[in-house]
Amino acid sequence: MTLDLATRSLPDLWGTLGNVDAVHGLYYLLMHGLFSIFGTDLLVLRLPSALATAAAAAGVAALGARVSGRTRVGVLAGLTFAVLPDIQKYSQEGRSYALVCALVVWATFFFVLAIQRHQNPPLTGQRTSAVMWTVYGFLMLAACVLHEFAALALAAHACALPATARRPWARVAVVVAAGLAPLAILGMKQSGQVGWIDDVSNGEYVGFALLVASALALSAFSPPPESNSASAEKTVSLRRVALPLVILPTALLMLLSLYKPLYLERYVLYGLVGLALLVGAVLDRALQQGRALRLTAVASACLATAMLVPDSVELRTSESRSDNVTALAAVLSDEAAPGDGVLYLSVKRRAWTLAYPSRNTQLADLAQALTPVASHSLYGTELPPRQVRAHMLATSRILVVTEPPGSPSADTVTDKWKEKTLATHFSKCRTIPLKGAQVVIYEASARCLTG
């Protein structure tokens, strides 16, 4: 999707964002600029996420050192963050989630710094405090414009506030909310595009409950706040920053999903920052204890890292993707012959081949009325059912791109006409299963010639 939208001309992209996907508009504009300069290689698509993840890991290290007063806590937290499977997964995706995470991490760092400067004006001056609050607000607004659910981090920050810093934080929060409001309103008007998101599953609730339990257990074992710290800047504890980040964004999004399903774990990826901070603090405390406990902590960390290696390796293969669009494009290209047509069940499945349009030039799209670019949409528009049927009957061999077995059946009038026409006038010759999809080859003749 990113490759298709970000390679459109700016007028076409602007027209599309007025209809759909405005919540990702800033990211598409950023990638449009990069594609214009460096081309559309996969490296260009994925490099921003990789660099953002590196910046986020550095930010977690800086944040951990700042809130704990110990550099080793920060280093351990940063390393923990970098090896978490979900962080590795989205570090190689051509989407905005890693960038949002990095912005929230550094916003949280400047949030803590602003509180510390605000609490100690004789040492640093009110002007420095104002600068920190301004940087914090800018980073949070940038994160929210990249993805509006970054705003849930504001709730986590509110829980970490000391009473004396509530007023300046509230001013910044109001500015961020005002800046986000136009995009949020437009996003609400376009909310139909996420109608495919299901209700939060029991497994997701259980997973979140286990995450919360783990965070609370880690918090209990992490070093307590030092009430008589020699550092005048230590005014925000690690627990007070980390726990709300782990719990609140996900909890609030799950609650919101009771009204309208919107929960996807990647929308609140930055919540893992809190978990990494707590793990870093616990490991640091263990390393300060007796020799036996130190060896146990080191052995446990090494074992946990080793257990993550298979997942880390798998995440770097095409099999880790929910939809292997590269393999799909290759199958369509290899199977296509002059005069063949392609049919998508449903229109959203057309997005699977938009990333490689040049590989499917031999195939006529039998149902398409307007292309995605011409219609300023994500998937294009489709012809009326009778015209689709006529195009199908005029084609002797059709490659049908559809969901894997067991997926919900077609639910639109046009898709039902497609299925009925295939069942009545064509023979199913061969099915090619793929990750997250399948290509079914139909021929009009009674005898299949493909296999």
Side-chain angles (χ1 to χ4, degrees):
M1 191 59 65
T2 298
L3 195 59
D4 172 54
L5 287 174
T7 52
R8 298 183 186 184
S9 68
L10 286 178
D12 286 331
L13 177 57
W14 187 256
T16 301
L17 296 178
N19 296 326
V20 291
D21 232 15
V23 293
H24 295 296
L26 180 61
Y27 178 70
Y28 293 142
L29 289 170
L30 169 65
M31 295 308 299
H32 177 88
L34 293 177
F35 288 152
S36 298
I37 298 171
F38 301 108
T40 56
D41 188 83
L42 278 178
L43 176 64
V44 181
L45 176 66
R46 295 177 178 173
L47 187 59
S49 292
L51 294 177
T53 301
V60 171
L63 177 60
R66 170 61 61 174
V67 294
S68 68
R70 294 180 59 82
T71 301
R72 188 167 64 186
V73 171
V75 172
L76 292 170
L79 291 174
T80 300
F81 177 83
V83 301
L84 292 174
D86 278 352
I87 298 301
Q88 293 194 48
K89 177 180 179 179
Y90 292 105
S91 71
Q92 53 183 326
E93 294 282 338
R95 301 298 287 171
S96 64
Y97 309 112
L99 279 75
V100 172
C101 186
L103 287 168
V104 171
V105 168
W106 281 103
T108 305
F109 174 81
F110 281 99
F111 164 76
V112 171
L113 203 58
I115 292 173
Q116 293 173 343
R117 296 295 190 260
H118 182 80
Q119 294 284 78
N120 300 279
L123 298 178
T124 60
Q126 290 288 359
R127 182 176 180 181
T128 304
S129 173
V131 170
M132 297 299 104
W133 284 117
T134 301
V135 175
Y136 164 65
F138 174 79
L139 292 173
M140 276 306 306
L141 181 59
C144 291
V145 174
L146 270 175
H147 198 283
E148 57 191 6
F149 287 142
L152 297 174
L154 288 171
H157 294 160
C159 291
L161 278 171
T164 54
R166 288 173 184 167
R167 182 172 295 178
W169 176 85
R171 287 196 291 263
V172 173
V174 168
V175 171
V176 172
L180 177 61
L183 181 61
I185 293 170
L186 183 56
M188 290 174 63
K189 293 179 180 178
Q190 298 177 358
S191 62
Q193 75 179 72
V194 291
W196 56 270
I197 299 179
D198 294 325
D199 292 331
V200 181
S201 67
N202 291 333
E204 288 170 327
Y205 281 126
V206 171
F208 178 56
L210 292 174
L211 177 64
V212 171
S214 300
L216 291 174
L218 289 167
S219 176
F221 285 103
S222 65
E226 299 180 29
S227 56
N228 297 316
S229 172
S231 172
E233 290 190 339
K234 287 186 65 178
T235 57
V236 184
S237 72
L238 184 143
R239 289 180 186 174
R240 196 167 180 175
V241 171
L243 274 177
L245 272 175
V246 175
I247 298 172
L248 276 181
T250 300
L252 291 172
L253 189 53
M254 283 184 166
L255 284 173
L256 182 62
S257 294
L258 295 175
Y259 168 71
K260 178 178 175 58
L262 291 170
Y263 174 76
L264 293 174
E265 63 178 11
R266 59 181 178 263
Y267 290 171
V268 286
L269 183 66
Y270 53 83
L272 293 175
V273 173
L275 181 66
L277 290 172
L278 291 168
V279 171
V282 170
L283 288 175
D284 177 72
R285 187 178 189 182
L287 293 174
Q288 297 177 54
Q289 307 306 311
R291 184 171 182 270
L293 189 54
R294 288 201 303 270
L295 291 175
T296 301
V298 171
S300 299
C302 291
L303 178 61
T305 303
M307 291 174 65
L308 291 173
V309 168
D311 287 339
S312 180
V313 172
E314 184 183 0
L315 284 170
R316 285 155 177 79
T317 67
S318 59
E319 293 304 311
S320 68
R321 307 294 192 271
S322 59
D323 302 318
N324 191 346
V325 296
T326 304
L328 175 60
V331 167
L332 292 178
S333 178
D334 293 342
E335 294 292 336
D340 287 355
V342 63
L343 201 66
Y344 298 94
L345 297 174
S346 65
V347 62
K348 292 182 179 179
R349 303 287 73 85
R350 187 173 285 113
W352 286 342
T353 53
L354 291 176
Y356 300 96
S358 61
R359 301 186 67 169
N360 303 310
T361 53
Q362 292 189 74
L363 292 169
D365 192 331
L366 302 178
Q368 187 175 74
L370 293 175
T371 65
V373 174
S375 61
H376 290 157
S377 66
L378 298 180
Y379 316 113
T381 59
E382 298 213 319
L383 295 166
R386 293 185 184 278
Q387 286 185 254
V388 174
R389 182 177 182 274
H391 286 178
M392 293 173 65
L393 294 177
T395 307
S396 60
R397 186 169 181 265
I398 301 175
L399 279 61
V400 178
V401 180
T402 185
E403 303 277 3
S407 301
S409 59
D411 58 357
T412 69
V413 173
T414 302
D415 289 335
K416 290 176 180 178
W417 272 68
K418 295 174 188 176
E419 291 184 338
K420 183 178 179 180
T421 304
L422 288 170
T424 305
H425 299 280
F426 291 82
S427 300
K428 182 189 292 187
C429 297
R430 186 153 53 100
T431 298
I432 304 173
L434 297 165
K435 178 73 171 181
Q438 61 179 348
V439 176
V440 185
I441 300 175
Y442 286 84
E443 291 191 10
S445 61
R447 178 184 176 186
C448 292
L449 302 178
T450 56

